Amino acid sequence: MGILEDKSRARLFYKYLSKVYDTVNPFIWNERMRDDALAMLDIQEGDRVLDVGCGTGFATEGILQHTENVHGLDQSVHQLQKAWAKLGKHDPVSFYRGDAERLPFEDDSFDVVWSSGSIEYWPNPVATLREMRRVVKPGGQVLVVGPNNPKSTVMQKVADAIMLFYDAEEADRMFREAGYTDIHHYEMGPKYDPDVALTTIGRDPEDE
């Protein structure tokens, strides 16, 4: 387990990263990538969408272009303060401070669940994916963006010492163990590193 796959360490990390997050983030996860990932989802006007690990609200702003019924959750109050400054605490987005492993929502609460830049900090990704599947409606989509495994063996070891990095095969395993069907993976990235991120989409089975 990487050093940042510990919740208290991750909160401390984001206490300081939050000060420069919106400046640094576009070099790794930019608007084009966010919008391309959103285009992969079947978000209808009025759909209730949850952004897990919403951070400073970068993805949340993109989701608002598709529906006005948006909810964001993050464990870092420092990241949320940045999101509140952009979007307010309750309107147009309802924000919550909470844990992705224990989402404070009832079963089948959302039409779509989104998470970008969060899975790499989850101590138990499969359990958290199950929790996200719990709150999405039957047949609903869950999209997760995380860091693709580096190609170099040396860099893989360095990356794994910090947080979770994984490839499409590992993403497929995690999503299947969590009970998803109709799973698809897409490599994404800025022009200088076009496969730095891995986007995975799965559905909650309708017949359960």
Side-chain angles (χ1 to χ4, degrees), residues 105-208:
F105 308 107
E106 296 182 359
D107 296 359
D108 308 335
S109 296
F110 297 94
D111 298 284
V112 174
V113 176
W114 164 289
S115 182
S116 54
S118 181
I119 186 174
E120 55 263 43
Y121 304 105
W122 300 346
N124 191 333
V126 173
T128 307
L129 288 169
R130 287 196 188 106
E131 180 69 352
M132 292 165 69
R133 188 168 74 85
R134 178 186 69 79
V135 302
V136 78
K137 295 177 181 179
Q141 292 176 296
V142 171
L143 180 148
V144 174
V145 183
N148 203 2
N149 227 2
K151 305 304 181 190
S152 161
T153 302
V154 173
M155 288 307 298
Q156 285 178 17
K157 291 180 179 179
V158 172
D160 289 340
I162 300 170
M163 56 191 178
L164 176 67
F165 283 72
Y166 58 95
D167 57 17
E169 183 178 354
E170 177 67 4
D172 203 71
R173 179 195 66 78
M174 292 189 293
F175 268 71
R176 291 195 185 282
E177 281 191 24
Y180 290 87
T181 59
D182 193 23
I183 303 165
H184 301 278
H185 313 282
Y186 307 90
E187 291 186 337
M188 307 179 73
K191 291 181 180 179
Y192 63 86
D193 197 355
D195 57 2
V196 67
L198 184 65
T199 297
T200 301
I201 303 173
R203 285 189 186 273
D204 179 45
E206 294 190 71
D207 56 355
E208 288 190 359

